[in-house]
């Protein structure tokens, strides 16, 4: 079929993106679905910070690629051998998809599946196929096995999670990345207990979801930290008990004072080494730093050796929520429907394809939380 999609040919173009146009809106060909694949009509797709870091060229990707890794839509066709989904099902598209067979997948950690992350790195679907074409100019790459900045997507069923149709599409779109990552970091990785103290550095879509999840887990203090105080009202509305400007010279002292020596769990969502340093400085003795934001390829950071050992600190990585999206997303959707995880508050605005590049300028400025591309509406 022919459809409209946002294609990136080059990474690291200069800002503003509204002018350099990293995404070109093209009519492309989509094949399939083949054996073990599903055709989804994409109804909504979120603009995420990790898309931005690919636009900026911080992590290299095979090009050209159709972008987008957080979306929701309706199943329109299933390929041979697909038994878990049927046309008409509402689905969230999740960037974590395991093969289901390997040791990581069998132990409930599909985010660590090597086979699928290798396929992702080569611009392929989890099935190893490539279904996108640009006329006679040849194959286009898939992004994270999803490519949701398009009117339709062919994906492997492992990348899809059936979701209650009561969840609006522009909210469902957030579950596959922002929600599963932010909530999973709290519930699966840190296993926050009632009464625990928590700090969240970086109050975008993922961080605000972590704030909501920490409230749901019963954390006694939830300290939101960001360089943009404009975000504090929303953070307080979803559960932050205190907010601190990361640029305050005494920001670390303020956290240590509020919490009597530091937090049990310091979530670092922004992906910056400076913020990781702050997370280490505000973690209590015996506390942990939970790294959620993805850094640049090959970037390193420093850990104070003595203090790490003698104060029994934990340094924990949490990738895409560290859980099983097929189990976690329906649970989080149920919490949303019961008003326990108000992730609809993350939505900033709806945009069309022609506003996509400008949308990344806005995301970069921090002025918005989650802009939602509606591929059929504009
Ligand atoms: Zn994302
Ligand atoms: Zn696997």
């Amino acid at each position: 079929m022919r459809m409209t999609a946002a294609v990136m040919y080059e990474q690291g173009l200069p800002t503003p993106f509204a002018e350099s146009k990293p995404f070109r809106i093209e009519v492309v060909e989509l094949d399939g679905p083949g054996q073990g694949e599903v055709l989804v009509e994409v109804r909504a797709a979120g603009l995420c910070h990790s898309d931005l870091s690919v636009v900026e060229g911080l992590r290299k990707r095979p090009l050209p690629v159709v972008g987008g890794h957080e979306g929701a839509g309706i199943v329109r066709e299933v390929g041979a051998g697909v038994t878990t989904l049927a046309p008409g099902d509402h689905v969230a598209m999740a960037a974590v998809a395991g093969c289901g067979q390997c040791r990581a997948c069998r132990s409930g950690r599909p985010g660590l599946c090597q086979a699928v992350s290798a396929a992702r790195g080569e611009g392929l679907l989890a099935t190893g196929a490539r279904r996108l074409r640009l006329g006679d100019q040849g194959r286009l790459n898939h992004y994270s096995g999803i490519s949701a900045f398009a009117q339709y997507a062919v994906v492997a069923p492992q990348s899809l999670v059936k979701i209650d149709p009561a969840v609006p599409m522009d909210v469902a779109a957030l579950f596959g990345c922002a929600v599963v990552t932010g909530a999973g970091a709290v519930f699966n990785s840190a296993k926050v207990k009632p009464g625990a103290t928590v700090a969240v550095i970086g109050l975008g879509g993922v961080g605000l979801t972590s704030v909501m999840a920490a409230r749901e887990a019963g954390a006694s203090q939830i300290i939101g930290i960001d360089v943009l105080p404009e975000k504090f009202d929303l953070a307080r509305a979803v559960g932050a008990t205190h907010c601190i400007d990361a640029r305050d010279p005494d920001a670390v002292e303020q956290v240590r004072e509020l919490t009597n020596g530091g937090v049990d769990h310091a979530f670092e969502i922004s992906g910056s080494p400076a913020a990781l340093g702050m997370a280490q400085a505000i973690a209590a003795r015996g506390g942990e730093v939970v790294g959620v934001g993805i850094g640049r390829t090959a970037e390193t950071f420093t850990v104070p050796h003595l203090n790490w050992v003698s104060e029994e600190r934990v340094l924990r990585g949490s990738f895409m929520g560290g859980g099983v999206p097929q189990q976690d997303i329906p649970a989080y959707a149920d919490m949303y429907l019961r008003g326990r995880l108000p992730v609809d508050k993350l939505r900033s605005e709806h945009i069309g394809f022609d506003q996509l590049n400008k949308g990344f300028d806005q995301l970069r400025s921090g002025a918005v939380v989650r802009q939602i591309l509606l591929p059929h509406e504009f």
Side-chain angles (χ1 to χ4, degrees):
M1 65 157 63
R2 289 163 73 79
M3 60 157 188
T4 302
V7 183
M8 187 181 352
Y9 293 90
E10 205 181 333
Q11 296 179 263
L13 291 179
T15 55
F17 299 128
E19 283 167 27
S20 63
K21 295 192 169 51
F23 284 107
R24 305 277 162 164
I25 310 310
E26 313 261 24
V27 173
V28 307
E29 306 272 348
L30 181 67
D31 299 331
Q35 167 103 24
E37 294 168 358
V38 178
L39 173 68
V40 178
E41 179 183 339
V42 181
R43 299 302 309 180
L47 276 61
C48 169
H49 264 277
S50 59
D51 297 314
L52 176 63
S53 53
V54 170
V55 168
E56 291 177 322
L58 306 188
R59 286 196 306 284
K60 295 295 171 200
R61 290 285 173 192
L63 301 170
V65 63
V66 174
H69 65 279
E70 177 184 276
I74 302 170
V75 173
R76 292 302 181 202
E77 200 184 326
V78 298
V82 176
T83 54
T84 51
L85 291 163
D89 284 347
H90 286 214
V91 286
M93 303 161 90
V96 164
C99 69
Q101 314 293 326
C102 71
R103 188 158 169 237
C105 286
R106 284 199 313 256
S107 65
R109 303 179 81 180
L112 307 184
C113 176
Q114 222 158 16
V116 169
S117 81
R120 225 177 11 222
E122 287 168 41
L124 303 172
L125 296 177
T127 56
R130 201 178 265 131
R131 300 293 177 201
L132 289 160
R133 265 180 305 124
L134 188 65
D136 45 11
Q137 292 181 53
R139 296 277 154 180
L140 287 168
N141 291 290
H142 295 264
Y143 182 61
S144 286
I146 305 274
S147 291
F149 294 163
Q151 292 180 311
Y152 292 86
V154 166
V155 286
Q158 304 95 287
S159 304
L160 298 173
V161 182
K162 200 168 156 178
I163 198 162
D164 190 326
V167 181
M169 281 290 165
D170 61 344
V171 177
L174 304 171
F175 279 80
C177 179
V179 175
V180 83
T181 303
V186 170
F187 295 128
N188 297 325
S189 304
K191 299 184 172 68
V192 171
K193 293 202 166 56
T197 54
V198 163
V200 177
I201 306 176
L203 300 171
V206 174
L208 290 168
T209 305
S210 294
V211 168
M212 296 176 201
R215 175 171 68 179
E216 202 47 34
S220 59
Q221 282 178 305
I222 303 167
I223 303 171
I225 303 174
D226 201 287
V227 291
L228 296 171
E230 303 87 280
K231 294 181 171 173
F232 293 168
D233 283 345
L234 182 52
R236 286 192 192 95
V238 300
T241 56
H242 305 81
C243 287
I244 291 175
D245 188 335
R247 295 166 307 180
D248 276 0
D250 65 342
V252 168
E253 262 325 293
Q254 289 181 51
V255 177
R256 297 182 66 88
E257 223 160 87
L258 276 169
T259 53
N260 223 343
V263 293
D264 298 317
H265 309 276
F267 293 89
E268 201 305 289
I269 319 278
S270 74
S272 98
L276 257 179
M278 175 185 242
Q280 295 190 69
I282 61 175
R285 296 168 78 88
E288 66 176 11
V289 171
V290 186
V292 179
I294 297 176
R296 292 169 185 246
T297 310
E299 193 152 57
T300 59
F301 64 94
T302 311
V303 179
H305 192 159
L306 171 67
N307 143 303
W308 172 52
V309 174
S310 65
E311 298 187 0
E312 297 197 344
R313 285 158 200 279
V314 174
L315 197 55
R316 188 186 299 286
S318 176
F319 180 59
M320 302 290 302
V324 181
Q326 314 289 344
Q327 287 166 23
D328 294 350
I329 289 179
Y332 301 154
D334 183 60
M335 289 170 75
Y336 160 73
L337 288 171
R338 286 183 295 121
R340 311 296 289 268
L341 212 59
V343 293
D344 52 319
K345 291 198 166 76
L346 304 177
R347 286 175 302 184
S348 304
E349 58 193 313
H350 292 157
I351 63 169
F353 280 115
D354 57 342
Q355 294 150 288
L356 186 62
N357 288 306
K358 181 168 163 252
F360 281 101
D361 288 321
Q362 285 189 271
L363 188 62
R364 191 165 177 274
S365 75
V368 291
V369 178
R370 232 21 168 217
Q371 304 165 95
I372 311 285
L373 171 74
L374 302 181
H376 295 271
E377 315 289 309
F378 291 92

